[in-house]
Amino acid sequence: MADQIGFIGLGIMGRGMTRNLIKAGFPVTVWNRTPSRMAELAAEGAGTSTSPADLASRCDVIILCVSDTPDVQAVITGEHGVLHGARPGSLVIDMSTISPHATRDLAAALAAKGVAMLDAPVSGGSEGAARGTLAIMVGGKTEDVARAMPVLQAMGKTITHVGDHGAGQTVKLVNQILVVGNALAMCEALLFAKAGGLDLQKTLDAVSSGAAGSWMLSNRGPQIIKRDWRPGFTIDLQQKDVRLILDAADQLGVPMLATSLVFNLYRVLQTDGLGAEGNHALVKALEKLAGIEVKQ
Ligand code: NAP
């Protein structure tokens, strides 16, 4: 019989990922903290559950995509958490972006109950989640990665086993150093273009496919010049990732120059109440410094 798949966390990412599992033919049961968010997926064929423990008691593979480290801890080890329902032999796959250190502790707590765990954070944005083209960076045991592969392939295109527990999360932080550096460069470049009197759309057309092209520029550049701040990824969650990078870098004793600059710029925007906007609204912090609006 096919593995029963459970999915916890039907946010911007989780909704698309769950939909792709259903499309691939997996029997899927969902749980979301705000129960009304389950209705949409239930209408598309998913079963529903009453708590993470309830879901875990009925599933062989339990996937999570929730916000931050304390949220994953609550969902796994909390009062009605996965740990209290999961059967020995089941597999937990955490696809949230959280602390590598906390990940290793959670893997040990689950292992004590005979439950395996993989950290499998993702990159590719809401677009990648919807299209099933995510990059997935996986930490954990080789045999568990092999077991998870068909499930991961339904959600992602590039699946890389990068090491043991926590290594997936550490690679995701590497990814996020690149993402925020790219975002800062994009915002600074567009600010310069505007100040120089250029047509912003033509500028994007000219540079996007050359050596300066990037996912960030192609997907979020057009949103910036249209002043469209709808989030693929919110500033609050982006800032959570930057904090995880700076915490880890502090432990490693590594200087993080651009990343700490972005942390402070996002802090300005959070103070202005913009934490729910998309991470490309980073440009607003530079606009504030320059007194220029980057608008087509
Ligand atoms: P989101 O839209 O804000 O959704 C967060 C989800 O987590 C919601 O389902 C929320 O439930 C649930 N949740 C949060 N705290 C919880 C708790 N304490 N207990 C139970 N459920 C909880 O966020 P997202 O953009 O999908 O991001 C999810 C994860 O993927 C994050 O770790 C993020 O860093 C990572 N990620 C996001 C992107 C992106 O582009 N969006 C890309 C790569 C990775 P409610 O519905 O009840 O609020």
Side-chain angles (χ1 to χ4, degrees), residues 32-175:
N32 195 67
R33 179 180 59 181
T34 306
S36 58
R37 278 184 153 177
M38 290 191 279
E40 197 183 311
L41 275 307
E44 293 173 33
T48 60
S49 57
T50 56
S51 69
D54 175 41
L55 176 143
S57 70
R58 298 196 258 146
C59 294
D60 309 292
V61 175
I62 300 138
I63 304 173
L64 277 77
C65 191
V66 298
S67 306
D68 200 351
T69 307
D71 306 311
V72 173
Q73 288 167 330
V75 165
I76 294 183
T77 60
E79 198 183 348
H80 300 291
V82 166
L83 194 62
H84 305 298
R87 301 176 297 222
S90 51
L91 171 66
V92 171
I93 308 176
D94 178 25
M95 306 189 79
S96 330
T97 304
I98 68 162
S99 149
H101 184 73
T103 294
R104 287 188 281 274
D105 290 347
L106 286 166
L110 286 164
K113 293 206 98 183
V115 178
M117 178 174 170
L118 296 173
D119 42 308
V122 302
S123 181
S126 51
E127 293 87 346
R131 294 181 194 138
T133 56
L134 292 168
I136 310 181
M137 28 226 112
V138 191
K141 302 275 173 255
T142 303
E143 61 270 25
D144 297 325
V145 179
R147 179 179 173 189
M149 201 47 92
V151 175
L152 298 177
Q153 281 167 339
M155 296 180 280
K157 206 160 105 183
T158 311
I159 297 142
T160 314
H161 183 199
V162 293
D164 208 344
H165 298 299
Q169 294 294 356
T170 306
V171 172
K172 172 68 188 185
L173 297 186
V174 170
N175 186 83

